[in-house]
Structure formats: structure tokens, C-alpha cells
């Protein structure tokens, strides 16, 4: 019987020579070449309008040394372009209603002042990326008159906002137009070439064809290595266009488990999905809040509550590229206005030291680096699996061992495997710790430990 099976296989291969010659070596789904400076990068989102009392580049530049000392790496500036006046929302309008893609909003400063901001950031070792709105423009952008064919139209021929949105102040672009693609790509290249910016956060990136982004990335990389973040959650965007995508599922899992009190299941499920379905080289941005999802506004503040510090810490030591939203380090206690001036009230926040320690740990520990540069998470089983999520990252001698009680119930945690055994220091307190078997960790509700291995 075995001889017959081998004979049939030989006949099949002989009849199908292409099958016999096929290369089955695994290929990396991520073809993008990440700039070396992205390996341990931490993002900081900066809303120039609200960042200082003045709301200008010049005033924000004075805060760059503080951000550099904090340890962040990439400053993401919300859109800096002139804002449309037609159909404007609020007094000042939405920065995502762009009236001119190759100009600076005079309310924020001059081109010279923006250039000085970028130059000072670079002097301090920081990178700067711009928020780019490729999907739509302001309804009074001059392109609506000079190139009306670049816009999506209603059956009656009128400009229209993107389908399914209430964005009444913007007009949807039609990316079937090659000339629009060229204009938008050349505009992206303009800011990199002329002002030295280091990449882009791309608004609603999934509303724009992926092949546009792939072409744009290739053109940008001809000028300099850039970092590209997509506001979208889609694996294919990592192939040839983006370094990073939004990890919306992370925030949703954290908010769900806090609201329900069900324990670690949602977060365990999120990380399992990342491991099984996303390329390891794909950077996934995780965060507790940003400009349209502040954790401190009304309902969201209640969602995180006493779990806020655990959520912040997990965003740094779990798999993912962490984001800090301006004002988090100062315990900003409200959602900032979007269409009006609403400066952050700066004070010494109770979480500022936590951010600084977590950033330092991430930078110093290769296992915690981003995407392809970091190590996968390996779960460490406990006696409290339903509520506690414990894991290591890295190999012997450089591991991080983290234990998170993701529940409103205190836990006495024991471990049933030796995956974490070693000598450590508490990454936040500096105290020594050793795990050789039989230890118990007492964790309050929403408590956590992060241990860094010592050699």
C-alpha cells in the first residue's frame, strides 16, 4: 500500500512540475522598511491649538525640551493647514477641513515658525509627523473650482461629504482620478523635502485606496526614511505603505473589561488575535485616549476609573506602539474642545512619573521594542486565569515579566510554570525580586507588577 501511495505521488509530481518547483518558504507580509529610529518609539499627539495658551508653533516649541526629557520620540502634530470657512463647524472650524495642502494655518504661525519648530525638535532628537487628510478637503478648497472632477458628486452633481458621515464641512475626493493622486502625493513629498518632517499620521486611511498609499510611501522613501501611521485597522496596509496602524481593538477590550468587571478575557483575546492574525512586524498603535476619544471626558472617565494606571502600563509593556495624548501627563480632566480654543491647564500630574518610567523601560529593553524589533508575548499561566493576565517578553537575561490583575477583585496569584523564573528588579520601584517557584503575588483590584530581568 505504501509503495502504491509513493508511486501515485511521483506520478502527480511528474504530471505537475510547477507544483514540484514551488517555493514554500514563508515570506514576510510586511515589506515596508522601518526606519531605525522607530524601533523603540513612543508617540506624543500634540494639538497646537490647545497645547499652549498662545496656541502657536512658537509657544509649543518652548515645550519641546520638556517632551524630550520625558522621553517621547515622535511628535504627531494635528493638521497644521489653513481651515475652510464655508460650512465651518464652530468658531474656528475643524483642522480636518483642509483649505490648502501646501500652506500653514496663520492662526498657528508662519512657515518660518513651523520650520523652526521642526528644526528644534530634530536638534533635541525628536521626530515630527504631520496629520494628513487625504480623503477629503474643505468644501471651499480652491481645488473644488480648479479641479471639480477630483471630487465625488451626488446624483445631482453636488459636492458630498464621505458616505455615511456627518462631516458637513468637507467634500469627498474621487481617487479614480490619476491627477488627484499625483497632486496629493506631491503634496506629501513637499513637506518632507522642504521642511524635513519625518512622516505622517493619515486620517481615515482606509477611506483612500491602498495602492495610493503604497505609491506615496515609495515616493516619500526616495527623499528620506519616513514613519507612516494609518488611522485604520487593516493588515494589508502594512505590506508596502504603513509602519503602524491603529489598535482600536486594544482600547475596546480594555474599556469592555473595566465596564463589565468580567476579568482578563477580552484583553487575552485581543493579544491572541494579534499573535494569530497580524504579522509580527506590524506596529499596532495602542492608547487610552486621543483627540476624539479622551478617557477623561464624562462616560469614558467612568470606564477607566481605578484601572487607568493599569491600562497605561499595559499599553507600554504589552505588544504595541504606545501613544500619549497631550495633557495626559498633566491629568487633563476634560475633553478638549474641537472647534474652539480650549488650552490645556498644565500642572504636575500624578501620572507624569509613571509615563517617564515606562518610556525609559521601553527604550532600554529590546524585548519591548516595536513590531519586528521587539519580542512576542508569552503567557505565564496562573491560578487566577479568569482575572489575571501574566506574560513574559524576551529571552533569558533580558526578559520582562508582567502581571496584571484586570479585575475589580483582589488576587493572590501563584504560577504553575517556570517560564518566568529568574532574578528581576521591579521596573517601577527598583526593588529586587526573584522567582524560582512557589511564590505568591498579592495584587489589589486593578493592580499590576512589571519586572525587568537582571543579569
Amino acid at each position: 500500500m505504501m509503495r502504491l501511495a509513493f508511486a501515485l505521488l511521483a506520478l502527480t509530481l511528474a504530471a505537475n512540475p510547477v507544483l514540484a518547483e514551488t517555493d514554500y518558504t514563508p515570506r514576510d507580509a510586511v515589506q515596508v522598511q522601518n526606519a531605525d529610529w522607530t524601533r523603540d518609539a513612543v508617540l506624543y499627539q500634540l494639538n497646537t491649538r490647545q497645547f499652549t495658551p498662545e496656541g502657536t508653533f512658537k509657544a509649543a516649541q518652548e515645550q519641546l525640551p520638556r517632551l524630550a526629557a520625558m522621553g517621547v520620540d515622535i511628535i504627531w502634530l494635528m493638521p497644521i493647514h489653513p481651515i475652510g470657512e464655508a460650512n465651518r463647524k464652530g468658531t474656528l472650524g475643524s483642522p480636518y477641513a483642509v483649505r490648502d495642502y501646501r500652506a500653514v494655518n496663520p492662526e498657528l504661525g508662519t512657515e518660518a515658525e513651523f520650520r523652526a519648530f521642526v528644526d528644534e525638535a530634530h536638534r533635541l532628537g525628536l521626530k515630527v509627523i504631520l496629520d494628513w487628510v487625504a480623503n477629503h478637503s474643505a468644501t471651499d478648497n480652491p481645488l473644488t473650482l480648479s479641479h471639480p472632477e477630483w471630487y465625488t458628486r451626488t446624483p445631482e452633481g453636488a459636492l458630498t461629504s464621505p458616505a455615511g458621515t456627518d462631516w458637513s464641512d468637507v467634500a469627498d475626493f474621487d481617487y479614480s482620478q490619476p491627477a488627484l493622486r499625483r497632486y496629493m502625493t506631491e503634496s506629501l513629498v513637499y513637506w518632507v523635502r522642504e521642511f524635513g518632517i519625518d512622516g505622517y499620521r493619515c486620517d481615515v486611511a482606509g477611506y483612500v485606496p491602498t495602492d495610493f498609499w503604497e505609491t506615496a510611501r515609495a515616493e516619500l522613501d526616495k527623499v528620506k526614511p519616513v514613519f507612516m501611521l494609518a488611522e485604520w485597522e487593516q493588515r494589508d496596509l502594512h505590506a508596502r505603505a504603513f509602519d503602524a496602524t491603529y489598535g482600536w481593538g486594544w482600547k475596546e477590550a480594555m474599556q469592555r473589561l473595566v465596564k463589565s468587571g468580567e476579568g482578563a478575557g477580552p484583553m487575552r483575546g485581543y493579544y491572541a488575535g494579534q499573535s494569530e492574525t497580524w504579522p509580527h512586524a506590524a506596529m499596532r498603535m495602542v492608547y487610552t485616549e486621543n483627540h476624539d476619544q479622551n478617557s477623561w471626558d464624562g462616560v469614558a472617565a467612568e470606564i477607566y476609573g481605578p484601572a487607568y494606571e493599569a491600562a497605561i502600563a499595559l499599553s507600554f509593556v504589552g505588544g504595541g506602539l504606545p501613544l500619549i495624548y497631550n495633557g495626559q501627563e498633566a491629568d487633563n480632566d476634560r475633553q478638549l474642545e474641537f472647534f474652539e480654543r480650549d488650552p490645556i491647564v498644565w500642572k504636575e500630574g500624578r501620572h507624569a512619573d509613571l509615563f517617564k518610567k515606562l518610556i525609559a523601560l521601553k527604550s532600554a529593553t529590546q524585548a519591548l521594542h516595536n513590531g519586528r524589533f521587539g519580542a512576542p508575548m508569552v503567557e505565564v499561566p496562573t491560578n487566577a486565569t479568569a482575572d489575571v493576565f501574566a506574560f513574559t517578553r524576551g529571552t533569558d537575561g533580558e526578559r520582562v515579566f508582567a502581571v496584571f490583575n484586570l479585575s475589580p477583585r483582589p488576587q493572590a496569584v501563584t504560577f504553575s510554570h517556570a517560564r518566568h523564573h529568574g532574578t528581576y528588579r521591579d521596573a517601577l520601584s527598583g526593588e529586587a525580586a526573584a522567582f524560582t517557584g512557589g511564590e505568591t503575588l498579592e495584587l489589589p483590584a486593578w493592580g499590576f507588577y512589571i519586572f525587568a530581568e537582571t543579569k
Side-chain angles (χ1 to χ4, degrees):
M1 185 64 71
M2 288 291 291
R3 288 184 179 180
L4 177 60
F6 282 122
L8 290 173
L9 177 60
L11 288 172
T12 300
L13 293 176
N16 298 277
V18 174
L19 180 65
E21 297 170 2
T22 299
D23 180 7
Y24 291 99
T25 304
R27 294 183 294 277
D28 192 342
V30 178
Q31 300 299 310
V32 164
Q33 296 300 306
N34 311 116
D36 187 65
W37 47 265
T38 67
R39 67 175 53 244
D40 63 340
V42 172
L43 281 162
Y44 187 94
Q45 183 184 4
L46 195 157
N47 181 344
T48 310
R49 178 187 282 175
Q50 317 296 22
F51 191 63
T52 63
E54 300 84 353
T56 63
F57 300 126
K58 187 175 182 180
Q61 181 179 328
E62 296 176 3
Q63 298 300 316
L64 289 176
R66 177 181 68 80
L67 297 180
M70 185 178 175
V72 300
D73 303 281
I74 301 174
I75 307 299
W76 152 20
L77 290 178
M78 287 176 64
I80 66 167
H81 309 297
I83 296 171
E85 297 183 9
N87 305 313
R88 174 174 281 194
K89 293 187 175 183
T91 305
L92 299 178
S94 168
Y96 293 88
V98 177
R99 196 167 190 274
D100 186 344
Y101 285 93
R102 301 185 189 181
V104 164
N105 183 351
E107 297 170 14
L108 307 180
T110 65
E111 287 190 358
E113 288 167 339
F114 172 65
R115 190 185 303 277
F117 177 94
V118 175
D119 289 346
E120 176 64 4
H122 287 167
R123 188 187 72 79
L124 293 167
L126 300 169
K127 303 296 183 181
V128 178
I129 65 172
L130 295 185
D131 209 326
W132 195 261
V133 191
N135 169 253
H136 51 265
S137 78
T139 54
D140 57 351
N141 187 307
L143 297 175
T144 62
L145 300 178
S146 61
H147 295 283
E149 73 280 6
W150 288 2
Y151 288 85
T152 304
R153 301 282 171 171
T154 67
E156 295 74 31
L159 294 172
T160 182
S161 55
T165 73
D166 63 353
W167 304 341
S168 57
D169 55 343
V170 300
D172 188 58
F173 279 125
D174 177 5
Y175 271 83
S176 70
Q177 301 294 317
L180 167 62
R181 290 174 173 237
R182 178 170 182 170
Y183 166 83
M184 195 62 70
T185 301
E186 289 176 346
S187 297
L188 286 161
V189 169
Y190 169 79
W191 293 96
V192 174
R193 185 187 63 237
E194 300 300 325
F195 292 84
I197 70 152
D198 303 290
Y200 293 94
R201 177 268 188 187
C202 300
D203 187 61
V204 287
Y207 280 23
V208 178
T210 302
D211 66 317
F212 163 78
W213 293 121
E214 292 177 343
T215 299
R217 175 62 183 261
E219 293 303 307
L220 290 167
D221 279 342
K222 290 177 183 177
V223 181
K224 64 185 285 190
V226 295
F227 169 77
M228 299 288 283
L229 165 65
E231 189 202 18
W232 209 249
E233 202 163 19
Q234 181 178 321
R235 287 181 299 178
D236 292 350
L237 291 173
H238 288 278
R240 289 174 291 277
F242 289 94
D243 301 83
T245 52
Y246 269 50
W248 281 317
W250 186 94
K251 175 187 63 67
E252 291 164 359
M254 178 59 72
Q255 291 186 346
R256 171 184 158 182
L257 68 86
V258 173
K259 183 177 182 180
S260 68
E262 65 192 271
M267 191 55 72
R268 180 178 287 107
Y270 169 81
Y271 284 121
Q274 294 303 293
S275 174
E276 293 293 333
T277 65
W278 287 78
H280 177 64
M283 299 181 190
R284 309 302 316 290
M285 189 187 78
V286 293
Y287 61 95
T288 55
E289 54 190 289
N290 69 4
H291 64 279
D292 55 3
Q293 294 173 318
N294 295 178
S295 74
W296 289 101
D297 68 291
V299 175
E302 297 175 6
I303 289 177
Y304 285 116
Y308 188 52
E309 288 193 0
I312 291 171
L314 187 56
S315 74
F316 276 83
V317 298
L321 171 70
L323 168 74
I324 300 171
Y325 179 56
N326 57 190
Q328 273 192 276
E329 71 272 37
D331 298 342
N332 178 50
D333 59 0
R334 70 190 190 285
Q335 183 171 20
L336 300 175
E337 292 290 338
F338 206 67
F339 310 118
E340 311 291 345
R341 287 278 291 121
D342 185 19
I344 297 167
V345 177
W346 289 101
K347 57 183 180 295
E348 185 64 31
R350 64 186 182 279
H351 299 111
D353 188 57
L354 176 63
F355 278 119
K356 197 166 186 178
K357 288 181 177 179
L358 289 170
I359 294 170
L361 176 66
K362 182 178 180 67
S363 297
T365 310
Q366 183 176 339
L368 300 185
H369 289 180
N370 302 316
R372 70 173 83 248
F373 303 113
M377 301 169 68
V378 177
E379 184 165 5
V380 177
T382 76
N383 64 319
T385 300
D387 287 348
V388 174
F389 185 50
F391 59 90
T392 64
R393 294 184 68 186
T395 56
D396 288 353
E398 60 128 28
R399 286 176 301 174
V400 166
F401 171 41
V403 187
F404 283 82
N405 179 12
L406 298 177
S407 82
R409 297 166 286 277
Q411 299 289 344
V413 184
T414 59
F415 307 93
S416 56
H417 287 68
R419 298 172 184 174
H420 63 298
H421 285 186
T423 303
Y424 298 85
R425 62 173 176 83
D426 186 308
L428 300 182
S429 72
E431 295 181 5
F435 295 92
T436 58
E439 294 83 13
T440 298
L441 283 181
E442 299 288 342
L443 286 172
W446 309 114
F448 62 93
Y449 282 102
I450 303 168
F451 301 101
E453 193 165 20
T454 56
K455 297 180 182 180

